Amino acid sequence: MNRAVVYYSLSGNTKEAAKVIARKLGAKIFEIDLVKPLPKNTVRQMIVGGMQSTFGRRPKIKGVPDNIDYYDEIILGMPVWAGMPASPVNTFIKNYGVADKIDAVFTFSGGGDNDRCLLQLSKSLKNLKNQVALADRNSNAAKDNQEKLEKFVMSIK
């Protein structure tokens, strides 16, 4: 089976987890990047990113190979913006037609709204079998991330 970990990361939380997951599963790893970056100011990032996610915008992305359909299984990682999947992830799912190949997702939130995001994802990802909600590394809840990540990887193997 050919596996890929595809992720979008703004602050580095998702990137760190994606590396761990890819290494433990022997999967290829691809980072979704924005063609037009978000503003550098954190508050403006939250406003722009939150608005994009809330209103279902799909910004132009890069970093995903054209042959992503080569992979049988995709594990998708993202930050949660305004209780929704980060907008670059929405672009990836829609533009690359990979919804049926995504069977596992991992999310990061600083505000505890992972459940809402996972519920939203489960509507479009019909083969979703494994999911884990992780906390931003600056949150007190992040102390459980390592254990949650280990269980997540084991559920995929």
Side-chain angles (χ1 to χ4, degrees):
M1 175 177 303
N2 297 312
R3 284 186 173 144
V5 174
V6 179
Y7 70 94
Y8 174 75
S9 186
L10 182 61
S11 65
N13 282 300
T14 311
K15 184 175 193 167
E16 288 176 18
K19 287 180 178 180
V20 169
I21 294 165
R23 186 181 73 247
K24 289 184 181 249
L25 294 176
K28 285 288 212 175
I29 188 169
F30 302 101
E31 181 175 12
I32 299 168
D33 199 7
L34 290 167
V35 170
K36 180 183 175 188
L38 289 173
K40 298 223 182 280
N41 177 286
T42 305
V43 173
R44 295 207 58 219
Q45 286 175 348
M46 289 173 30
I47 292 169
V48 172
M51 295 273 291
Q52 286 178 350
S53 291
T54 299
F55 293 108
R57 297 290 187 323
R58 288 186 286 174
K60 291 184 180 180
I61 62 171
K62 59 184 179 179
V64 179
D66 289 336
N67 70 340
I68 195 68
D69 58 339
Y70 165 79
Y71 296 93
D72 306 307
E73 178 183 30
I74 297 173
I75 298 130
L76 184 61
M78 74 212 69
V80 176
W81 290 352
M84 304 294 279
S87 56
V89 170
N90 293 330
T91 302
F92 170 68
I93 293 169
K94 299 288 185 202
N95 289 9
Y96 287 87
V98 294
D100 291 343
K101 293 184 179 222
I102 300 169
D103 64 358
V105 297
F106 57 104
T107 61
F108 274 91
S109 175
D113 45 7
N114 280 307
D115 291 341
R116 181 176 169 211
C117 177
L118 290 169
L119 179 64
Q120 186 70 25
L121 285 166
S122 68
K123 292 176 185 177
S124 61
L125 304 178
K126 301 302 181 196
N127 293 325
L128 189 58
K129 297 179 210 144
N130 299 295
Q131 54 196 17
V132 65
L134 304 165
D136 182 275
R137 65 178 160 249
N138 297 319
S139 165
N140 289 338
K143 65 183 179 348
D144 299 328
N145 282 356
Q146 177 104 15
E147 182 181 338
K148 287 180 175 182
L149 201 54
E150 289 295 328
K151 286 181 182 177
F152 178 68
V153 169
M154 291 307 292
S155 70
I156 296 171
K157 284 186 174 181

